[in-house]
Amino acid sequence: MVDEDLTAVRDLLQRRTQTPAPTWADVVARRSQARTPAARRAWPVVAMAAVLALLASGAFSVVIRMYADRGPDGAPPPPAFPAPTPTASARAVGPYPDAEALDPTQALADLIAVAPTAVPLTVQPGQVLYRHIVGWVIEPSPNGIDPQVQTPAGMVTVQDRSMWIDPEGMITLSLMMGDTNATTMPKSNWDQDVADARRSFTESGPSLNNPTPQWLSTLPTTAAEWRSLLTPPAQNRSSKWTADHDIWVNAEDFLFNVDPFLPGPQRIGLYQALSNLSNLSAAAIDADGRRLIALRYREAPIGTEGTQSVTTRELLFDAQTGRVAGGGSLADTPSGRYQSLWTYKIVNTVGERE
Amino acid sequence: MESDHQAQREHDRGVRAITHVTVFRTEAPGDVAELFGRYGSQLHRYCASRVGPSAAEDLVAETFLLAHQHRATFDAERGTVQAWLYGIATKLVHRRRRDEVRGLRAMARTGVDPLVQESHAERVIDRADATALSREVAAALAQLPARQRDVLLLFAIAELEYAEIAAALGIPLGSVQSALHRARTKIRAALREASRG
């Protein structure tokens, strides 16, 4: 049996994992007990009932303020939820709403029809690929790096990312998060990560993990071969997801990585493989006058259908060229919407953008 | 086109385009109560598997409260919120490493799990039912280096994918693959030992 070791480990620990998980009310109660260890009765019954009522209403930030006001032992209040700081200068154009629903099979057929016009970029020795990502996340909490803007859709965090990539192995050499250099952030292990990635590429050569522009032309051109290539072997697959899910996730990462270099025949074969997936939907988006095709894949982890939020994953394609233009996701909760647009350029050195 | 062997080797490394930087991600910490609703149950299962159900409640509570306190440090470029939460939980598990290892060693010796609340009668039954296989597996788990045990249990119990484990632990994808391979090799060796009787 392929996974007998994993089965043995799960069986060994099974009794431990059968206990029901605590509720959020349990967590809040435990927190209040931990801060007032000798004063379990210090929280009036009335106050706790009010807390639970507010939790049910979703007004969690109000709960925390109430908690802070009523700490009976005079201890400092827990960290408050800070109010988001709108930044007038931040550009927040997305996420873009759907302009119209599309049939996913037809949408992919249309992209396949224009795919031959997407001529791969050429790169000279020593040049790097510059990738610019502008993303928008609908969520209320600031992270201290990305600006936020209030929009009709909600508080949007604007994520501006610039990446410089060595096309030989698609190894990321540098990353800017807005004006913040991610390679020098505290606890960043950047240099070691790059060295590890280069060593791995040198040892193993080009692969789907570490492609090169030249190597891409050796890849399959039929849907069946792409499906096989993008499906991990059984021992590496998670039991949570179907093969279609794995293929979608791997295609997403792959296209994000290599789209500017992908030759036409390989692009067509890959898009044909995507069109054979289940759980697809599509929509047209008007991104400031540019027509984009959103292709979406939706699946709940196996066994959880209908019991928890599902994240729908999204790839955006340029309707005119068939190239990948961005990506994102949609959750069943309002704060889960994320969308980003990607642009690519060949530049001479890390740090260049033009 | 590559041979089947070459393609197979690539699949063994995980088919991920980004080796050390996770680029676009789909969530941000947001509201912690909503996060708990989404991930609390699975995190509890993972923590309970490592330190027992009683300690797991504290660990889960601490995980989400730390997540809220440190939400500004969440970096969507490096992984998902889910991976980030598992990383926090695993660090908290490390603080109880002695308890975790002691519990596994006790299971290896006696067949009884000291971290599960049971009646005396149930313990007697556990002792009698404990197989050589379960004892060997417990011993092998106890002997694993901490990182290999982290990776193995994030894979086997939390059912995270390689890239998620890498993001959770802040290690390269290649390190996840090699640690998992080594851990599974040792568990399989324990199973073979047990089958020899």
Side-chain angles (χ1 to χ4, degrees):
Chain A
M1 203 176 356
V2 172
D3 287 344
E4 58 181 359
D5 56 315
L6 302 181
T7 302
V9 168
R10 290 177 188 133
D11 287 347
L12 180 76
L13 302 173
Q14 186 187 16
R15 286 249 188 107
R16 295 182 181 183
T17 60
Q18 287 174 337
T19 311
T23 64
W24 184 241
D26 294 334
V27 171
V28 171
R30 188 173 284 267
R31 173 73 171 165
S32 72
Q33 290 163 17
R35 288 191 57 234
T36 57
R40 189 181 271 236
R41 294 185 303 276
W43 269 96
V45 170
V46 168
M48 182 54 71
V51 164
L52 292 176
L54 284 166
L55 279 171
S57 74
F60 189 72
S61 60
V62 175
V63 169
I64 289 296
R65 282 198 290 279
M66 202 176 111
Y67 182 102
D69 292 341
R70 295 198 175 204
D73 60 352
F81 286 79
T85 306
T87 304
S89 62
R91 186 172 69 89
V93 212
Y96 294 99
D98 291 353
E100 60 174 306
L102 301 174
D103 174 76
T105 303
Q106 186 58 50
L108 274 163
D110 293 341
L111 292 172
I112 288 168
V114 298
T117 68
V119 178
L121 297 184
T122 56
V123 57
Q124 303 303 319
Q127 290 186 312
V128 298
L129 175 67
Y130 168 59
R131 181 190 293 131
H132 185 219
I133 305 162
V134 178
W136 305 279
V137 183
I138 298 180
E139 54 91 20
S141 300
N143 64 5
I145 293 176
D146 299 315
Q148 291 193 299
V149 179
Q150 185 71 53
T151 74
M155 182 62 70
V156 173
T157 298
V158 183
Q159 298 178 339
D160 188 290
R161 306 284 183 261
S162 286
M163 305 175 69
W164 289 268
I165 298 122
D166 182 348
E168 293 302 299
M170 297 301 172
I171 296 167
T172 304
L173 302 174
S174 188
L175 168 67
M176 293 291 292
M177 301 168 63
D179 295 328
T180 300
N181 187 339
T183 70
T184 58
M185 287 171 75
K187 298 190 181 175
S188 167
N189 207 21
W190 195 269
D191 290 343
Q192 185 62 50
D193 284 351
V194 173
D196 286 346
R198 287 204 187 285
R199 184 174 53 250
S200 176
F201 173 64
T202 301
E203 286 171 1
S204 303
S207 66
L208 287 173
N209 272 349
N210 295 111
T212 67
Q214 300 79 6
W215 178 80
L216 292 175
S217 60
T218 69
L219 290 180
T221 58
T222 69
E225 289 168 324
W226 270 108
R227 184 175 177 91
S228 175
L229 190 63
L230 293 174
T231 304
Q235 64 265 27
N236 286 356
R237 291 202 47 236
S238 167
S239 57
K240 276 192 331 189
W241 302 102
T242 64
D244 275 10
H245 165 88
D246 288 351
I247 290 168
W248 174 272
V249 167
N250 292 334
E252 257 188 42
D253 285 347
F254 179 74
L255 285 168
F256 172 82
N257 228 2
V258 308
D259 180 83
F261 301 118
L262 193 60
Q266 281 73 25
R267 183 185 298 277
I268 289 169
L270 175 50
Y271 286 9
Q272 287 170 338
L274 289 178
S275 68
N276 291 334
L277 298 180
S278 55
N279 301 340
L280 287 181
S281 64
I285 288 173
D286 181 353
D288 297 326
R290 183 184 176 202
R291 182 174 168 90
L292 301 180
I293 308 299
L295 188 69
R296 296 171 182 146
Y297 179 84
R298 177 186 174 89
E299 183 184 25
I302 295 169
T304 69
E305 294 85 355
T307 64
Q308 67 176 66
S309 297
V310 175
T311 297
T312 299
R313 304 178 73 118
E314 174 182 80
L315 273 171
L316 303 176
F317 299 84
D318 186 297
Q320 279 196 320
T321 65
R323 287 194 194 278
V324 168
S329 70
L330 306 87
D332 288 350
T333 54
S335 64
R337 182 62 168 122
Y338 168 78
Q339 192 177 70
S340 59
L341 295 182
W342 315 333
T343 54
Y344 301 83
K345 194 175 174 56
I346 301 298
V347 296
N348 289 321
T349 65
V350 171
E352 275 188 24
R353 290 186 166 96
E354 299 298 327
Chain B
M1 190 181 306
E2 290 152 332
S3 67
D4 288 345
H5 176 71
Q6 178 78 5
Q8 193 71 17
R9 191 156 62 90
E10 287 166 6
H11 285 157
D12 283 344
R13 296 157 55 85
V15 184
R16 292 287 177 184
I18 306 298
T19 54
H20 69 282
V21 173
T22 310
V23 185
F24 63 89
R25 288 298 154 188
T26 59
E27 303 182 90
D31 181 80
V32 66
E34 182 191 329
L35 264 191
F36 183 86
R38 197 179 290 202
Y39 299 114
S41 178
Q42 56 179 277
L43 272 164
H44 178 262
R45 183 167 179 268
Y46 168 69
C47 292
S49 77
R50 301 205 61 174
V51 298
S54 178
E57 282 207 26
D58 280 334
L59 269 185
V60 169
E62 193 65 27
T63 296
F64 283 91
L65 289 163
L66 281 173
H68 171 63
Q69 287 174 9
H70 298 284
R71 63 194 181 281
T73 68
F74 171 72
D75 180 0
E77 295 299 328
R78 290 187 178 263
T80 61
V81 170
Q82 180 187 36
W84 182 59
L85 289 171
Y86 273 107
I88 295 173
T90 301
K91 287 196 184 78
L92 292 173
V93 165
H94 288 173
R95 294 185 193 170
R96 297 174 190 250
R97 183 175 302 163
R98 281 195 190 154
D99 292 338
E100 182 184 24
V101 173
R102 217 178 278 139
L104 289 168
R105 285 182 183 153
M107 289 169 77
R109 279 196 316 273
T110 68
V112 176
D113 188 347
L115 300 183
V116 175
Q117 301 282 352
E118 289 180 321
S119 67
H120 173 71
E122 286 167 329
R123 286 185 185 276
V124 169
I125 293 168
D126 283 350
R127 224 180 280 267
D129 284 350
T131 61
L133 186 145
S134 61
R135 291 185 185 188
E136 289 286 350
V137 171
L141 261 181
Q143 286 163 14
L144 288 179
R147 174 168 288 179
Q148 288 181 25
R149 190 163 50 245
D150 288 344
V151 170
L152 177 65
L153 294 178
L154 283 170
F155 188 75
I157 304 295
E159 296 184 319
L160 298 190
E161 297 172 9
Y162 287 8
E164 292 172 314
I165 297 173
L169 300 180
I171 61 177
L173 190 65
S175 299
V176 171
Q177 292 162 336
S178 62
L180 184 62
H181 175 73
R182 290 192 183 107
R184 292 188 69 176
T185 299
K186 289 171 191 167
I187 301 296
R188 287 188 191 122
L191 292 177
R192 284 194 298 274
E193 187 65 32
S195 67
R196 287 196 199 110

